[in-house]
């Protein structure tokens, strides 16, 4: 049996779970889990580094369904800690939080730039291979956020990686920074099944500007923009599953309606996506996916992703009043500091998977909203 067999084309990404009163809304997550499984999907993707996510999915899934009725993926973020012991401990912590004695798909989280090295210097690949021999890991792979030049040495050095998770979406397909097409093609050259992350680019492709939406609506009035983004990824050869970070039941229903019984796109549909992508590329968007890795290292608690969301709103829709409202809501009203307080230490840029020049963009945002 290949590792891709029996895995649904839509995967439930657990990074953006619904929240209520500042906490993950586990009751709604249960509803989503039920709907997802009933619809024939079975892949759940969390990480040690997603606050509260592993515990929430234990309650909503692991404690409520037979362990062999779904696949569980989680990840080790060695670059977030200072010692080999702490990095190794993340694995046991994940097992505990998830309430399981094995992980179906275990990933070295977010390789690329400075984040690759801790896994090498602490010999973690071999540590996880041991866990695999013990039956605690079924399949070992890694997620990657960097350029194709950095990917090839990792693929060469680690043939034990059984699969790879990549940021792929139609907007980043030809982007120089994200290089979706290049990293996808290289991974396939090495025969790795691909798991897609960020198919809707942190939500941006679910609500693109009117001109982009029109390209899609002219072709299929009843299909959502998000569904086009998901189908673009699912259509690619060798894609095991497309992770969607669904945040409520409605989003999940929409995603499911387009991914159940998925059939490959027609040449005309592929042309439509290409056209939409060309229109979208005319907007100057900051490629922030709101992953908030930067927030965890910023000593001043600057509302970086909130600021960038507001800047992007402004670039896409040009409504200053609305965008300023967004800025105040996402930054000030969430207890974060504004861009003007940034001390330009650069810590955020070291961890940003999108290689955003955060300090420059924050500086520009001050002018946009002044
Ligand atoms: S450069 Fe600014 S935003 Fe980035 S970590 Fe330092 S203070 Fe925070
Ligand atoms: S700026 Fe980078 S690290 Fe911060 S949220 Fe955006 S993509 Fe993530």
């Amino acid at each position: 049996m290949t590792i891709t067999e029996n895995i649904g084309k839509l995967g439930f990404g657990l990074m953006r779970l619904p929240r209520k009163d500042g906490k993950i809304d586990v009751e709604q997550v249960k509803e989503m889990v039920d709907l997802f499984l009933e619809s024939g999907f079975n892949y759940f993707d969390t990480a040690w580094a997603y606050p509260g996510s592993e515990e929430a999915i234990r309650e909503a899934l692991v404690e409520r369904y037979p362990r062999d009725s779904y696949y569980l993926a989680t990840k080790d973020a060695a670059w977030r800690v200072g010692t080999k012991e702490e990095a190794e401990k993340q694995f046991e912590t994940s097992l505990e939080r998830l309430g399981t004695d094995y992980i179906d798909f275990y990933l070295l989280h977010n390789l690329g730039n400075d984040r690759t090295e801790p896994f090498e210097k602490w010999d973690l690949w071999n540590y996880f291979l041991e866990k695999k021999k013990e039956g605690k890991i079924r399949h070992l792979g890694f997620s990657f956020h960097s350029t194709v030049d950095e990917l090839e040495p990792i693929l060469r050095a680690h043939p034990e990686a059984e699969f790879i998770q990549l940021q792929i979406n139609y907007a980043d397909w030809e982007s120089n920074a994200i290089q979706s097409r290049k990293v996808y093609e290289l991974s396939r050259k090495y025969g790795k099944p691909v798991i897609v992350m960020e198919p809707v680019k942190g939500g941006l492709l679910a609500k693109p500007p009117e001109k982009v939406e029109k390209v899609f609506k002219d072709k299929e009035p009843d299909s959502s923009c998000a569904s086009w983004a998901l189908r673009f990824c699912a259509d690619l050869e060798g894609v095991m599953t497309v992770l969607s970070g669904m945040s409520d039941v409605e989003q999940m229903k929409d995603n499911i309606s387009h991914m159940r019984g998925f059939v490959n796109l027609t040449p005309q549909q592929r042309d439509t996506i290409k056209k939409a992508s060309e229109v979208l590329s005319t907007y100057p968007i900051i490629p922030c996916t709101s992953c908030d890795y930067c927030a965890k290292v910023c000593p001043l608690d600057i509302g970086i992703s909130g600021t960038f969301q507001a800047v992007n709103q402004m670039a896409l829709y040009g409504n200053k009043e609305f965008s300023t409202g967004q800025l105040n809501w996402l930054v000030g009203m969430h207890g974060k500091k504004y861009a003007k307080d940034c001390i330009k230490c650069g810590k955020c840029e070291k961890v940003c998977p999108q290689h955003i020049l955060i300090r420059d963009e924050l500086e520009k945002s001050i002018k946009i909203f002044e």
Side-chain angles (χ1 to χ4, degrees):
M1 186 169 94
T2 66
I3 69 167
T4 55
E5 223 161 318
N6 299 326
I7 293 179
K9 271 281 179 192
L10 178 67
F12 190 174
L14 305 165
M15 189 167 87
R16 299 185 181 91
L17 290 172
R19 302 187 84 83
K20 198 175 168 188
D21 305 326
K23 288 194 190 131
I24 292 177
D25 179 359
V26 176
E27 289 313 306
Q28 190 174 168
V29 179
K30 284 182 186 168
E31 215 182 306
M32 293 169 81
V33 163
D34 294 347
L35 175 65
F36 193 68
L37 290 172
E38 272 161 28
S39 308
F41 298 107
N42 51 15
Y43 191 93
F44 295 82
D45 172 84
T46 181
W48 173 89
Y50 303 163
S53 170
E54 290 181 319
E55 291 90 338
I57 207 64
R58 180 189 69 227
E59 239 184 295
L61 172 75
V62 181
E63 289 174 356
R64 298 172 63 238
Y65 285 92
R67 183 63 186 87
D68 60 359
S69 63
Y70 56 85
Y71 297 101
L72 211 46
T74 191
K75 317 183 187 79
D76 187 290
W79 40 269
R80 280 278 306 278
V81 293
T83 65
K84 173 180 165 70
E85 289 67 35
E86 285 173 292
E88 288 177 354
K89 193 162 175 274
Q90 286 183 31
F91 177 73
E92 296 299 335
T93 303
S94 287
L95 286 181
E96 240 169 71
R97 288 177 180 168
L98 286 163
T100 182
D101 48 17
Y102 70 92
I103 308 291
D104 299 282
F105 291 84
Y106 198 66
L107 295 91
L108 286 69
H109 195 170
N110 190 4
L111 299 197
N113 307 106
D114 298 347
R115 301 176 303 274
T116 307
E117 223 255 321
F119 293 100
E120 300 292 341
K121 79 173 176 209
W122 294 331
D123 198 23
L124 292 171
W125 283 92
N126 283 325
Y127 179 76
F128 297 133
L129 279 177
E130 277 306 309
K131 296 292 163 197
K132 197 174 161 194
K133 276 189 208 141
E134 290 168 21
K136 292 182 175 176
I137 291 175
R138 296 279 156 92
H139 300 290
L140 183 63
F142 66 99
S143 63
F144 180 80
H145 274 110
S146 195
T147 59
V148 73
D149 295 345
E150 267 193 67
L151 179 58
E152 184 135 38
I154 300 174
L155 287 170
R156 259 202 313 264
H158 295 290
E160 68 270 34
E162 295 172 84
F163 64 96
I164 180 164
Q165 187 161 311
L166 297 171
Q167 175 170 334
I168 296 179
N169 57 64
Y170 71 78
D172 291 328
W173 191 239
E174 295 295 348
S175 128
N176 281 333
I178 313 296
Q179 304 191 346
S180 284
R181 179 179 60 73
K182 289 181 180 165
V183 292
Y184 161 76
E185 286 175 357
L186 185 71
S187 302
R188 293 305 296 145
K189 190 176 130 197
Y190 276 78
K192 306 295 175 194
V194 172
I195 297 174
V196 173
M197 58 182 156
E198 300 294 356
V200 286
K201 207 168 161 53
L204 193 142
L205 304 182
K207 254 185 150 296
E210 231 169 89
K211 282 188 199 161
V212 178
E213 190 176 2
K214 187 172 180 316
V215 176
F216 290 133
K217 290 291 175 195
D218 283 352
K219 288 289 166 194
E220 290 178 14
D222 295 333
S223 297
S224 68
C225 293
S227 85
W228 281 96
L230 291 176
R231 286 181 289 159
F232 169 80
C233 299
D235 187 48
L236 297 167
E237 182 276 329
V239 163
M240 205 164 113
T241 191
V242 179
L243 299 176
S244 178
M246 295 170 272
S247 303
D248 60 47
V249 175
E250 286 316 305
Q251 255 178 33
M252 180 171 267
K253 280 185 184 161
D254 180 61
N255 286 352
I256 285 172
S257 72
H258 293 282
M259 295 293 275
R260 194 155 41 185
F262 174 79
V263 283
N264 284 97
L265 297 174
T266 62
Q268 291 76 13
Q269 286 172 318
R270 289 184 194 131
D271 281 349
T272 301
I273 294 178
K274 202 164 170 229
K275 200 168 158 205
S277 175
E278 281 162 12
V279 177
L280 187 63
S281 69
T282 61
Y283 292 83
I285 296 164
I286 303 171
C288 173
T289 61
S290 299
C291 67
D292 276 343
Y293 291 138
C294 54
K296 294 179 184 102
V297 297
C298 175
L300 276 255
D301 203 17
I302 306 285
I304 302 170
S305 64
T307 304
F308 293 168
Q309 275 185 55
V311 170
N312 283 346
Q313 287 279 343
M314 186 65 192
L316 293 171
Y317 311 110
N319 184 335
K320 190 163 177 186
E321 197 185 331
F322 178 77
S323 304
T324 307
Q326 280 284 98
L327 180 77
N328 290 333
W329 164 245
L330 294 169
V331 179
M333 289 167 84
H334 277 72
K336 304 267 181 192
K337 292 214 169 62
Y338 288 93
K340 66 175 173 45
D341 293 318
C342 168
I343 53 167
K344 300 196 174 3
C345 66
K347 287 186 178 160
C348 50
E349 291 177 18
K350 290 209 170 84
V351 298
C352 175
Q354 312 301 330
H355 319 294
I356 297 168
L357 299 175
I358 295 175
R359 288 169 288 185
D360 290 356
E361 294 295 352
L362 286 175
E363 190 70 47
K364 285 191 226 161
S365 79
I366 298 172
K367 294 205 173 67
I368 293 170
F369 293 111
E370 71 189 358

